[in-house]
Amino acid sequence: MSEYDGHQYVGIDLHRRRSVIVRQTDQGEQLSVVRIVNDPVALGLQIEQAGTRPDVVLEATYGWYWAADVLQAAGAHVHLAHPLGVKGFAYRRVKNDVRDAADLVDLLRMGRLPESWIAPAETRELRELVRYRAKLVALRSGLKAQVHACLRRPACSSRCPTCSGSMAVPSSSRPLCPAPVPSAWRPC
């Protein structure tokens, strides 16, 4: 616990390996600036210094899940800043990690923070599965399109009596177009 006993606001500029933590009073007075290696123990120790139930803000960037879980377990009231809402940070003349964290905590303290919803861990897991499946489906579709494009290049045309130029096979009962494939397109 720090020398200040009032309610504290904490801003975290979260990166892949290291993060910057800025603590402020409810009047905006800066109490500390700390750079930490991203580690649940190090983050937990820093949040303990912010007293009981501090308001903590971090931006919804890649890898925020673990930090939000650690902060909530430490008793902090976590706010997730919407990335599009704080997009204006990129256009500042002075841009550094300390300034980013301080601006996040200022927005939170003044009640002007654009927030994102923090989904429960179970919902986040399901969302990840759906995102992963969507990526696999898109990959599968792209590979099918490449195969069809490769097969169409050599000889098949709309005058083909077997497939009428359509490479779509509704079922496995019908073979692909039997048109001859030039040697350049044949597998070794």
Side-chain angles (χ1 to χ4, degrees):
M1 181 86 169
S2 70
E3 64 282 350
Y4 176 76
D5 289 333
H7 186 73
Q8 292 188 27
Y9 291 88
V10 180
I12 301 176
D13 188 31
L14 189 67
H15 292 279
R16 189 171 296 237
R17 291 191 177 93
R18 292 183 181 84
S19 295
V20 174
I21 300 174
V22 173
R23 289 190 299 126
Q24 288 185 359
T25 66
D26 54 358
Q27 298 300 313
E29 180 185 335
Q30 191 165 301
L31 297 171
S32 72
V33 175
V34 180
R35 293 180 192 275
I36 64 165
V37 174
N38 284 348
D39 176 60
V41 174
L43 182 59
L45 290 173
Q46 286 301 317
I47 291 304
E48 282 180 9
Q49 294 180 10
T52 58
R53 294 288 295 156
D55 279 298
V56 180
V57 60
L58 56 113
E59 194 173 351
T61 57
Y62 178 80
W64 64 266
Y65 292 173
W66 74 270
D69 291 341
V70 168
L71 293 167
Q72 287 174 338
H77 185 234
V78 181
H79 303 268
L80 195 61
H82 196 287
L84 293 178
V86 293
K87 185 178 174 184
F89 286 7
Y91 302 113
R92 290 189 317 232
R93 216 176 76 204
V94 177
K95 174 141 176 45
N96 59 41
D97 297 341
V98 174
R99 185 76 185 264
D100 288 348
D103 285 349
L104 282 173
V105 77
D106 282 336
L107 288 173
L108 174 64
R109 191 176 48 78
M110 293 184 295
R112 301 185 66 204
L113 182 73
E115 289 194 49
S116 292
W117 178 60
I118 299 177
E122 302 81 26
T123 305
R124 283 184 266 158
E125 185 178 347
L126 290 173
R127 284 178 161 190
E128 288 296 319
L129 288 172
V130 170
R131 280 190 202 108
Y132 187 63
R133 184 182 188 287
K135 286 180 185 178
L136 290 177
V137 168
L139 180 64
R140 179 189 66 188
S141 299
L143 292 172
K144 281 183 177 181
Q146 286 181 3
V147 167
H148 285 255
C150 189
L151 290 173
R152 273 192 79 109
R153 278 189 192 132
C156 193
S157 69
S158 60
R159 295 185 305 264
C160 178
T162 306
C163 66
S164 302
S166 171
M167 299 305 289
V169 180
S171 70
S172 59
S173 62
R174 188 172 68 126
L176 288 175
C177 180
V181 177
S183 61
W185 294 100
R186 290 187 197 136
C188 298

